[in-house]
Amino acid sequence: MKTRRLYYTDSLQREFDATVVSSEVADGRATVVLDQTAFYPTSGGQPFDTGRLGEGRVVDVIDDDAGEVRHVVDTLLAPGARVHGTIDWPRRLDHMQQHTGQHVLSAAFDRLHGVRTVSFHLGSDTATIDLAREVTPAEIARAEAEANRVVWEDRSVTVRFATDDEVSQLPLRKEPVRSGLLRLVEVQEFDLSACGGTHVPATGMIGIIAVAAWERFKGASRVTFVCGGRALRAYGQLRDAMVAASRALSVAAPDVGATVERLQADAKELGRTIRRLQDEVAVGRAANLRAGAEDIAGRLGVLRHEPGWDAAGLKTLASAIVREPGTIAVLVGDGTPAPVVIARSADVNFDAAEWMKQAAGSLGGRGGGRPELAQGGLGVSPERVLAYAKDTLK
Ligand SMILES: [Zn+2]
């Protein structure tokens, strides 16, 4: 026996009474079939309703192959029992706003631009439609405006049933995928589609249809949209983010983008200036450090903790030190892990990259480079890095 689907003819019905036809436990899930139900099962891109059945909760609703609606419940009910069902209304209303909004938006794309909707997905935060070709931002804006005009005209949304023969004479937006008796959803003088979903009774209840994002792929487009309550929540999130950004930048909201671009350009310029200054300072500092170098196995060794130099600066400094022959430099900066640079003069036979690999293995951290210069980050204090260098470079 097929379940009588109350939501087919009255999508606003939140409560109902029914008789349990059968119940079973399979794969650890208790399912109940009723003679009639207002619970919508997952199908046609729209997720299931949740709510209460008797004392228990409905956690999933499945449309099975036999045409029965299976309620997955946390409390099993005996066959023959009379139960009262209540659906979770905020969730259902949200699904109806998105689903009817989808019909209107898809029809707007179809009527204005001749673009077919290939598929519809209703997720927990946003919904998407896939369109049969790439659409431009201007086409999206026009379809969005047209869809909202239809929302604000508060047009009726009605449901009727028709046979295949009758349907073949009707201007349906999309070829129906099923045969037999079809359920048709009509947005007054705007859209006619075969659909089993729940819909608001008039378009005004959608509230608003807002396109949130779009992407083009393989000659098609995916449009992400939010309707009704979701649009209001999305607006609130954007507003909060924008208020925070404009406060942090001390500019009006419309100027946030340009201000961030300017700050990024400034930061780039500052970085260039710092590198130029480091190059200049490195030359003088390198001469000082070479003057105080110690003898390490017959070579000039500069083993130094240089606070205030970042990894790039240490590299510049080390390169300047080893420009003179016969020198090895190991420089350690501040940070966790500590930035370490090792470099040698062209005439010194020593593999800096190999040393860095060994040091990372012994002291913890990572690093690499070329035989003449290597850098890394080591997980110990500068003093320990330098003591290790002294031991291993002998
Ligand atoms: Zn539909």
Side-chain angles (χ1 to χ4, degrees):
M1 191 197 87
K2 290 183 179 181
T3 313
R4 203 172 142 237
R5 300 171 191 235
L6 300 169
Y7 61 83
Y8 265 177
T9 45
D10 185 1
S11 63
L12 299 181
Q13 188 173 351
R14 309 177 191 193
E15 297 190 32
F16 64 101
D17 291 297
T19 304
V20 178
V21 173
S22 64
S23 63
E24 62 173 38
V25 179
D27 303 326
R29 279 159 56 107
T31 65
V32 170
V33 174
L34 306 170
D35 61 340
Q36 58 176 7
T37 188
F39 281 92
Y40 183 78
T42 301
S43 53
Q46 181 182 331
F48 61 92
D49 289 328
T50 56
R52 302 200 78 85
L53 208 50
E55 296 302 307
R57 281 210 59 84
V58 175
V59 295
D60 195 359
V61 188
I62 299 157
D63 202 348
D64 80 3
D65 300 334
E68 284 175 344
V69 177
R70 297 192 167 273
H71 306 75
V72 180
V73 291
D74 61 3
T75 309
L76 199 59
L77 294 155
R82 289 290 289 169
V83 282
H84 187 73
T86 312
I87 63 169
D88 175 358
W89 184 247
R91 177 179 163 95
R92 160 65 82 75
L93 174 62
D94 170 55
H95 291 168
M96 296 205 302
Q97 285 182 323
Q98 314 312 313
H99 197 156
T100 312
Q102 180 260 313
H103 280 220
V104 174
L105 185 60
S106 286
F109 273 108
D110 195 281
R111 294 167 70 102
L112 287 180
H113 311 305
V115 191
R116 295 266 145 161
T117 294
V118 179
S119 66
F120 161 54
H121 174 74
L122 174 46
S124 54
D125 296 316
T126 54
T128 57
I129 48 173
D130 287 352
L131 299 171
R133 68 161 166 85
E134 295 188 8
V135 288
T136 64
E139 284 177 322
I140 292 170
R142 280 184 58 210
E144 184 184 44
E146 175 72 352
N148 281 292
R149 181 177 69 82
V150 169
V151 168
W152 300 328
E153 284 174 4
D154 198 24
R155 299 194 188 196
S156 67
V157 180
T158 50
V159 169
R160 65 194 150 102
F161 291 86
T163 62
D164 314 37
D165 275 358
E166 291 166 323
V167 164
S168 63
Q169 311 296 315
L170 294 170
L172 256 64
R173 173 160 50 80
K174 208 176 155 183
E175 285 292 309
V177 285
R178 291 159 43 139
S179 55
L181 197 65
L182 286 168
R183 181 172 182 263
L184 303 180
V185 176
E186 181 163 22
V187 176
Q188 186 192 345
E189 287 168 43
F190 196 70
D191 186 48
L192 184 63
S193 298
C195 175
T198 54
H199 291 275
V200 294
T203 56
M205 210 162 153
I206 298 167
I208 190 167
I209 302 172
V211 171
W214 64 89
E215 55 184 316
R216 288 183 238 183
F217 57 96
K218 300 177 281 181
S221 307
R222 175 163 296 170
V223 174
T224 303
F225 63 96
V226 283
C227 301
R230 288 190 188 197
L232 184 62
R233 281 196 298 280
Y235 176 80
Q237 284 168 3
L238 287 174
R239 176 200 55 216
D240 292 349
M242 198 45 100
V243 165
S246 67
R247 193 176 291 153
L249 296 168
S250 300
V251 296
D255 300 329
V256 163
T259 305
V260 169
E261 268 176 34
R262 190 170 49 71
L263 287 173
Q264 280 175 330
D266 287 355
K268 230 176 183 173
E269 182 58 36
L270 273 174
R272 277 195 289 268
T273 305
I274 287 170
R275 277 191 290 284
R276 205 184 63 239
L277 291 173
Q278 277 181 337
D279 285 352
E280 284 173 28
V281 172
V283 174
R285 182 78 184 143
N288 272 341
L289 293 178
R290 257 201 317 271
E294 52 197 299
D295 179 90
I296 288 184
R299 297 176 291 224
L300 225 46
V302 176
L303 311 181
R304 296 281 306 187
H305 174 208
E306 289 290 299
W309 291 71
D310 63 5
L314 291 175
K315 217 170 134 185
T316 305
L317 183 55
S319 300
I321 293 168
V322 300
R323 219 163 279 157
E324 298 287 321
T327 314
I328 289 188
V330 177
L331 305 178
V332 189
D334 287 326
T336 324
V340 179
V341 174
I342 179 164
R344 55 128 170 110
S345 310
D347 67 334
V348 173
N349 182 22
F350 169 76
D351 191 337
E354 187 54 34
W355 182 89
M356 185 60 81
K357 221 175 92 188
Q358 302 272 344
S362 301
L363 302 176
R366 54 196 301 175
R370 294 165 284 119
E372 61 275 17
L373 186 144
Q375 60 182 333
L378 301 178
V380 294
S381 67
E383 291 70 30
R384 280 203 53 199
V385 175
L386 294 172
Y388 174 85
K390 217 164 199 171
D391 281 352
T392 50
L393 293 173
K394 266 188 233 158

